[in-house]
């Protein structure tokens, strides 16, 4: 079981929202570096990454695509 990157976000809160959405659908996810950019817009930024298990990647993408389609 290995983690793969699902998405990158310049704001850590966006990554955390996506993590919560996936978890509410039963897909485990973790955020890497979501707390690094404490001062948003400070000029130096490290993107926050949402990571999922490799075997959950397709399902996670489908969940997010469904959410976008509902807009």
């Amino acid at each position: 079981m290995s983690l793969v990157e699902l998405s990158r976000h310049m704001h850590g809160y966006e990554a955390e929202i996506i993590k919560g959405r996936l978890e509410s659908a039963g897909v485990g996810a973790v955020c890497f570096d979501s707390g690094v950019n404490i001062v948003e817009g400070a000029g130096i930024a490290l993107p926050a990454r949402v990571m999922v298990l490799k075997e959950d990647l397709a399902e996670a993408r489908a969940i997010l695509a469904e959410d976008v389609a509902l807009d």
Side-chain angles (χ1 to χ4, degrees):
M1 296 190 318
S2 61
L3 291 175
V4 293
E5 183 178 291
L6 173 66
S7 59
R8 288 179 178 229
H9 307 273
M10 292 312 299
H11 301 285
Y13 66 85
E14 294 171 342
E16 294 291 343
I17 290 170
I18 289 174
K19 175 184 173 230
R21 171 62 181 107
L22 293 172
E23 289 178 342
S24 73
V27 175
V30 294
C31 292
F32 289 173
D33 305 321
S34 64
V36 172
N37 299 326
I38 295 172
V39 179
E40 299 288 351
I44 54 170
L46 182 64
R49 297 172 289 152
V50 179
M51 310 293 287
V52 297
L53 290 174
K54 186 174 182 177
E55 57 266 24
D56 292 338
L57 183 59
E59 183 179 1
R61 285 180 175 160
I63 291 166
L64 296 182
E66 180 181 302
D67 288 350
V68 171
L70 295 175
D71 285 343

